Amino acid sequence: MSNDIQQIVTASISGAESFQNQFFKALDDFRQNLPKFLLPDSAIVWNGTPIGGKDAFLEMYSRMPTTAHTVTSFDVHPVPSPSSTTNGPQFILNSSGKVKIGTERGKNVMTFSAVFVLKQDAQKLVYVSSMSYRLVHKPDDATLIM
């Protein structure tokens, strides 16, 4: 692997891992920080339902019960782009794990999958260009109505 490609891959992994840690922490504990991760026109699909960008997502998520995400695996892929020299690199982040929804002890622990297309600007800040989030498994004893 050439040094240039290795540097791109290493930077993508580092940027995506940092983003992932901060983003899921914001989803769970610091919802007021979510706007800094989103662009006005971020394309967001939540459990198969298209959400109309940053403001619509923030409104929808503000009505959600509390969450606690545990990411168990992730994978990052740099996306070659002819404009990456002017607009910063892009990469795809696949995350999966468990999420506890609500505060009822022992209930509503589900698995989730999230796929992000991320953009990094010249200041190395990472934003969601698009995101698809899905609850993959809902246990029979879950009390959450979807």
Side-chain angles (χ1 to χ4, degrees):
M1 183 182 309
S2 77
N3 278 347
D4 288 343
I5 293 173
Q6 189 163 355
Q7 287 176 334
I8 291 169
V9 169
T10 300
S12 295
I13 292 169
S14 175
E17 189 169 20
S18 175
F19 165 84
Q20 174 180 264
N21 293 337
Q22 294 175 45
F23 183 79
F24 285 109
K25 188 73 171 162
L27 277 179
D28 296 340
D29 300 322
F30 299 100
R31 291 183 178 185
Q32 71 275 12
N33 292 340
L34 284 172
K36 76 178 191 176
F37 297 102
L38 303 168
L39 299 168
D41 61 347
S42 293
I44 300 170
V45 177
W46 193 265
N47 275 328
T49 303
I51 307 294
K54 175 182 180 175
D55 292 339
F57 172 74
L58 295 172
E59 168 63 26
M60 182 272 306
Y61 204 75
S62 72
R63 296 188 312 267
M64 294 280 294
T66 61
T67 57
H69 288 82
T70 302
V71 175
T72 56
S73 66
F74 74 96
D75 193 20
V76 183
H77 300 275
V79 177
S81 170
S83 63
S84 64
T85 56
T86 57
N87 295 333
Q90 294 187 68
F91 36 97
I92 296 172
L93 168 64
N94 295 302
S95 302
S96 61
K98 295 198 178 287
V99 58
K100 177 169 180 17
I101 300 174
T103 58
E104 192 175 351
R105 187 178 175 112
K107 297 281 187 186
N108 297 324
V109 177
M110 304 174 199
T111 55
F112 76 91
S113 174
V115 179
F116 302 89
V117 176
L118 302 172
K119 291 182 179 181
Q120 191 173 42
D121 68 10
Q123 290 78 37
K124 305 274 189 215
L125 298 173
V126 177
Y127 300 96
V128 173
S129 176
S130 70
M131 172 179 81
S132 177
Y133 182 99
R134 183 168 290 278
L135 294 173
V136 179
H137 173 71
K138 178 182 167 202
D140 292 336
D141 66 351
T143 59
L144 183 69
I145 298 172
M146 298 174 23

